Each structure stands twice: as C-alpha cells, then as structure tokens.
Amino acid sequence: MHFFGGTFTTGGGESWIPEKTRWSLRQPSAHVWTTGVRDRIQIAEVPSRRRWAVVIGAHGVSESELTGWLRGTSPTAPATWPGSYTVVLGDGPRTSVFADPAHAIPIYYTEVDGIVVWASSSHALSGLSKAGINTDWICALVCDPAGFAPADRSAFDNVSLVPAGHRLELGTAGAPIVRRWWSPPAPIHPRGASDGFRRALGDAVDVRLRMGETVSCDLSGGLDSTSLCLLAASRAQPGQRIIASTVHPRNVDRGGDLDYARAAADGRAGMAHVTIPLADDAAPFTGIEGGPAVDEPAPSTITSVRHRRGYALVAAHGSTMHISGDGGDALLMQGPEHTSRLLRRGRLLRALRDLHGWARINRVGSARLMTDIICSRREDTHPHPWLTLRPAHEARHSSVGNRARTSKSDAELIGLVGIGRTARADVQLAGHVGLRLETPFLDRAVVEAALRFPFTHRGSPWEYKPQITTALVDVLPPAVRRRCAKGGTDADHHQGLRINLTSVLKLADGWLAGHGIIDPRVLRSELRRAASGRPTAWGLIEPVIAAEVWARSVEAGRAPVWFREAERSGVRA
C-alpha cells in the first residue's frame, strides 16, 4: 500500500519510518517520507526565513511558486494550487501539515514513545501504534451512514484524524495542536463563478494529464464523469491517449446510460471508448468476502468485482491514471435539504417555491417533507432493526460522530467531506491493482470555485447542477446537458444479492455480531427480504455489510512494519 507521512523531530529527536520507504527528506524539525513514487513531490526552502515546504500528491506546483509562498509574511495557509495534495511547512522550530478541505487526502497521526508520527493512512499508523479497530467509530458509521462525520477520530484506536481544512502543528514543546486554516470563499456574481469553475475543472484535468501518457476516465453518461472525460479529450497533448470506460450489463447494449455515453464519445478525436459488459459473475455482492485492508470500509465494497474488472481493462489499454467523477454529486447537486439553507439566509419565497417543487418530485405534501428535513438533522435517530442498542448508545455518547466543531458555514460540506474520506479507501484499492485513481471534484480549487456560486444559483427542483451545465455549455452534448439523473441500480442490487445470498448471509455471523453491534438473526431476515425484490434501504444495509467485510480484512491482514530511526537500527514496531 502506497502512503506518505512524517515525524516531528523537534530538537533532533528520533524518527519512525515504514518499510519500503522510497523517498525521504530530513529537516531539523521534521522527517518527511513516502513509500512509493506515484506522487509528485515538490520541495522549496528559504534559509533566510528558516522556512521549507514539501508538496506531495497530484499537482503542478513549481519550485518558484512554492518559494514565492514561503517568502510571504506569514504562510499560515497554502495558496490555492490546482490538484489534490498535502502541504508540509517548516517555519523555524514549528512544523505544520495541512489537511485539505474535502478530505481528498485525509491526514492521521499518533504518538508512540513520545514521538508524533503522521501519515496519509490510518491503517498504516495502526501498525505502529498497535491499535485495533475503533468500535465507537464503527457504531457511529452503521447508525447514520449518510450523516456520519467523525470529528477527529479514525477507524482505529489511538489514531487521530486531522479535521478537514485544519492543520496539525507541533512546536518546540507540548502536545500536537490542531488549528483551522481554511474557510469557505464568499459567493460572487454567477457569471464570474461560472468562468472560475470552468477554469478550476480544466486545471484539475490538466494536472492529471501531465502524470500519464495514457489516461483513462469514467464515462457513465452522467454530467460529472462526462464533463471530466470530455475536458480530458479536449486538453490532451498530441499523441496522448484518452480511454473512456463505460460499464453496462452484458445483455444490454443500448438505451439509458449507454446511449448517453456513446453520444458523448461519438466522433471525439484522440478518445477511445471502451465498453465493459458485465455478466452475473460481476453482479453486486459477488466476491466481497475478502480483499486488501484499507483505512475504512470502501464505498465500492458491494461492487468490488465490477470495479476490479474495469480497472484491469483500462490498465490493459495502457492506463496508469484513472479519473473518476466521484464527489460531483456531493459538491454540486442540491436536494430538499437546500430549502432549510435558503430559509436560514432569509430567502423565504424561494424556499417555499423549492419546497413545493421537491414535494412534487417526492410525491409527498410540503408539510410532510419539511418535517422529514428537520427530523433528518437530529442526531438521536432511531436505530435500524438489525442493530442492537449498543451502536445507538455509543454513537450518542462518543466523540466520534460529534458535529459540535462544524460551523454553519461548513454544514453544506459535511457530505462532501464524507465522500472524500471514504473515496480514499477506493483509491487505496485501485492502487493494489496498479492504477492511480483521481477524483478532481474533491480538489480544493474545484471545491472553492463551486462554493463561489450564490446560493440561489446552486440548483433547484427545476435546475439540475446548473453550475456545470452553464460552465461547460460548449463541452457537453445537448442531450447530456439536459439530463436530470442517471439510471438507477436497485434492480442490479436485488438480483446480485439473490445470486450471492448464501455467501452474504454468512457475513451476518462475524465481527459486528461478535462485538454486539448487530443482531445476526434480524440482519439475515432483512437480507432475505431484499433478495426477494422488496423495497430495501440499500443506503442503510450496505454500509453494514461493507463494515463487516472491512473488519475481517483488517484482522486477517498485516499492517506495514515500522523501524526506529532512518538507519534502521533493528528496532521494529
């Protein structure tokens, strides 16, 4: 597993490093390293100010840009460079690590023998701290999968999470300090916001294009992946290949998503459109019993075979870099909850109009919908029938799911941060098959550009993602631009569960049941009902299955081995 990190070494103290370290940098106040060569690393130093910095990730930051930032009066926040990356800053005796505002690259830390170590992988740090799975974290996750927003804890005991938009800082004395460094930008005129959003998306794609001769992209037929894919095709360098991949059932060769994808790819010079037909042996819930251990349950767990086959096919076409549209929905799509945000900003008439529209779409009364919106924000949600009383109790009294630190200005980013953090697990899984998975909609520059749209221009029941349809009006085909939603997947999941029911039922008696989190009898009953085709709350039950699969993988796998000091004196964690 590829990851990067470092150790605070104030006063020339010792350092912990993982095995298979490929690159490292030593400074008087810190030691920074990576375990692979997949990231772009940029270093700069201003000795006269006793400052140095490292940028690690997918970016195009030049040494001159980084040096210019370091020469500023007080570099308390990195510049908004394109890409997805982590910035490490040394300023005199103080070292800071900046976590991005969407958690595209979550940063974790732990303390062992008085030494503070940080890394981009909580699972890696668990091997150093000898930490087990954090049951409070799992309880909070399965109680409220959609609203789960851990404040500062990871899925492992004794491994902390740096909140999105905060920095981890250590000076000459005392414990590490976490401080906020990022705030959402102020909205601007819609035309300026649209121009800025187009620039940000284009720059984000350019960063990825510079990291591979052959780049693959999802082309699902939806707005998000189609936008990134067509931008990549239009901005590719001469001779550079763009592979557009579309997944579809083997017995369906036309209609729905597939037609929209073909319309987008038709006649595009420099783009090869690859369709990936999937039979029953790649249905949801197939082959999910095992897999590599990652930082937390991955969103792709239920459809892992489908993802692996897709990655293998684009890799066979020469791709080492794959661009995903993940994060686009969380960043751009508004739902009924947007009504309450409009009310808080005094837009009463607009809020009432939108509420009526959302009520018609959901086929409920306006009063009922408003009640549902208010109730969905409560933290004391009723536990699901397959959960025991323990998860609700521990989630309510634990700091893991505590949102007290979330300011009003951050409320709209909770979903995006959750997508970013969980998408990192998918990035780690793709890395195991040799593919770098990138999610440009989670880039800081793209997030800030999207947030510059006024609230009244971020969508409504009658406008689906107007930010992207106006910004890329000359890029997207008219049919895709007018599309309001993608095809549903409920039928696939019912069928997949029916095919794999015997193996999935065995998952009910495992880690979660052994820790008193679920009632296996009730869970098995619910799975049988879902397999029969009855209406199923997939968003509640699939995270339970994913958590079980993940916990088994963690306990069956091996976390990275750590060594004391760069000389590898033989002392191991």
Side-chain angles (χ1 to χ4, degrees):
M1 178 174 62
H2 165 67
F3 61 99
F4 58 84
T7 307
F8 294 109
T9 57
T10 303
E14 290 187 315
S15 173
W16 283 102
I17 61 171
E19 61 180 350
K20 300 180 181 179
T21 299
R22 300 289 297 273
W23 171 90
S24 68
L25 172 70
R26 283 188 173 274
Q27 291 286 350
S29 59
H31 183 195
V32 184
W33 37 257
T34 70
T35 63
V37 292
R38 293 178 177 272
D39 289 306
R40 187 168 187 267
I41 301 169
Q42 185 62 66
I43 309 168
E45 189 170 3
V46 180
S48 61
R49 290 185 177 270
R50 299 176 60 203
R51 288 178 185 161
W52 57 272
V54 180
V55 182
I56 306 174
H59 65 86
V61 183
S62 66
E63 183 179 0
S64 61
E65 288 174 317
L66 192 54
T67 301
W69 175 63
L70 286 175
R71 285 176 175 157
T73 304
S74 180
T76 55
T80 309
W81 299 302
S84 180
Y85 47 83
T86 296
V87 178
V88 185
L89 167 69
D91 191 2
R94 185 174 65 252
T95 300
S96 300
V97 184
F98 295 83
D100 67 271
H103 262 167
I105 307 178
I107 298 299
Y108 306 91
Y109 65 100
T110 190
E111 187 170 349
V112 179
D113 297 337
I115 301 174
V116 178
V117 185
W118 65 272
S120 61
S121 168
S122 58
H123 178 244
L125 288 178
S126 74
L128 176 61
S129 63
K130 307 299 183 185
I133 296 173
N134 184 341
T135 54
D136 288 352
W137 192 97
I138 293 293
C139 287
L141 169 66
V142 298
C143 273
D144 184 15
F148 180 50
D152 55 8
R153 302 282 297 281
S154 79
F156 297 93
D157 289 323
N158 304 321
V159 178
S160 299
L161 169 70
V162 179
H166 287 65
R167 70 178 188 266
L168 177 66
E169 179 181 302
L170 192 72
T172 55
I177 299 172
V178 175
R179 300 181 189 274
R180 183 184 184 91
W181 69 269
W182 181 85
S183 295
I188 60 176
H189 189 276
R191 182 174 298 175
S194 184
D195 292 343
F197 188 65
R198 182 190 178 99
R199 265 194 317 272
L201 274 182
D203 290 345
V205 169
D206 286 345
V207 164
R208 278 70 183 194
L209 291 177
R210 288 196 291 267
M211 297 180 72
E213 293 183 4
T214 300
V215 176
S216 56
C217 309
D218 288 336
L219 182 59
S220 67
L223 278 176
D224 304 331
S225 65
T226 302
S227 298
L228 296 175
C229 193
L230 296 186
L231 280 173
S234 65
R235 302 170 82 97
Q237 297 300 309
Q240 191 172 33
R241 298 180 66 226
I242 304 299
I243 309 296
S245 63
T246 304
V247 174
H248 66 93
R250 177 167 292 179
N251 59 347
V252 177
D253 61 359
R254 63 174 56 87
D257 293 343
L258 196 53
D259 284 354
Y260 284 101
R262 284 177 174 147
D266 187 39
R268 301 283 172 175
M271 176 192 289
H273 187 205
V274 176
T275 58
I276 306 174
L278 298 171
D280 287 348
D281 61 351
F285 297 97
T286 301
I288 65 173
E289 296 85 352
V294 293
D295 289 346
E296 62 179 87
S300 65
T301 299
I302 305 303
T303 54
S304 57
V305 171
R306 178 178 300 181
H307 282 77
R308 288 198 299 269
R309 291 193 184 176
Y311 296 154
L313 185 57
V314 296
H317 281 77
S319 175
T320 57
M321 166 76 68
H322 187 78
I323 298 176
S324 166
D326 282 354
D329 283 348
L331 179 63
L332 303 173
M333 189 169 69
Q334 303 298 340
E337 69 283 349
H338 190 56
T339 305
S340 60
R341 298 173 192 151
L342 290 167
L343 286 173
R344 288 198 298 271
R345 285 161 174 78
R347 305 301 298 260
L348 178 61
L349 293 180
R350 168 66 186 272
L352 292 175
R353 187 194 73 160
D354 282 11
L355 180 65
H356 177 66
W358 291 121
R360 289 184 62 185
I361 291 174
N362 289 275
R363 298 180 181 179
V364 296
S366 298
R368 167 66 185 275
L369 180 61
M370 196 68 218
T371 301
D372 290 345
I373 293 171
I374 295 171
C375 290
S376 68
R377 295 164 54 197
R378 295 176 181 171
E379 294 187 2
D380 55 343
T381 54
H382 183 72
H384 316 305
W386 51 82
L387 299 181
T388 64
L389 294 177
R390 178 184 178 184
H393 179 269
E394 295 197 7
R396 190 177 297 115
H397 295 89
S398 169
S399 64
V400 172
N402 183 15
R403 300 184 190 175
R405 298 187 181 187
T406 304
S407 66
K408 290 183 180 179
S409 61
D410 288 344
E412 62 188 293
L413 291 180
I414 289 178
L416 182 68
V417 169
I419 293 294
R421 197 195 70 252
T422 57
R424 190 65 182 174
D426 281 342
V427 170
Q428 292 170 330
L429 291 175
H432 278 277
V433 297
L435 195 67
R436 181 176 184 122
L437 181 63
E438 287 289 321
T439 52
F441 281 110
L442 301 175
D443 289 4
R444 174 191 171 191
V446 175
V447 170
E448 291 184 354
L451 294 180
R452 288 194 176 94
F453 282 90
F455 252 76
T456 51
H457 289 71
R458 296 186 191 178
S460 71
W462 303 275
E463 292 181 294
Y464 182 69
K465 299 182 181 178
Q467 310 96 312
I468 204 166
T469 55
T470 56
L472 300 181
V473 65
D474 60 330
V475 174
L476 294 166
V480 175
R481 204 168 58 242
R482 292 192 297 266
R483 199 173 189 197
C484 294
K486 284 177 55 184
T489 60
D490 279 11
D492 288 345
H493 285 237
H494 284 296
Q495 181 181 0
L497 181 55
R498 186 159 52 249
I499 295 170
N500 298 283
L501 183 59
T502 300
S503 60
V504 176
L505 288 175
K506 294 178 181 178
L507 295 173
D509 292 295
W511 192 91
L512 294 176
H515 286 76
I517 296 174
I518 65 167
D519 182 331
R521 179 186 57 81
V522 177
L523 180 60
R524 283 193 295 268
S525 175
E526 186 66 25
L527 289 170
R528 291 189 181 97
R529 288 171 55 88
S532 71
R534 297 181 185 181
T536 303
W538 295 114
L540 299 177
I541 200 167
E542 288 187 358
V544 173
I545 302 300
E548 177 65 34
V549 172
W550 172 80
R552 293 186 182 199
S553 296
V554 168
E555 297 204 333
R558 181 180 75 92
V561 175
W562 294 73
F563 295 85
R564 190 75 170 264
E565 278 298 297
E567 292 79 8
R568 296 196 174 186
S569 58
V571 179
R572 299 172 59 169

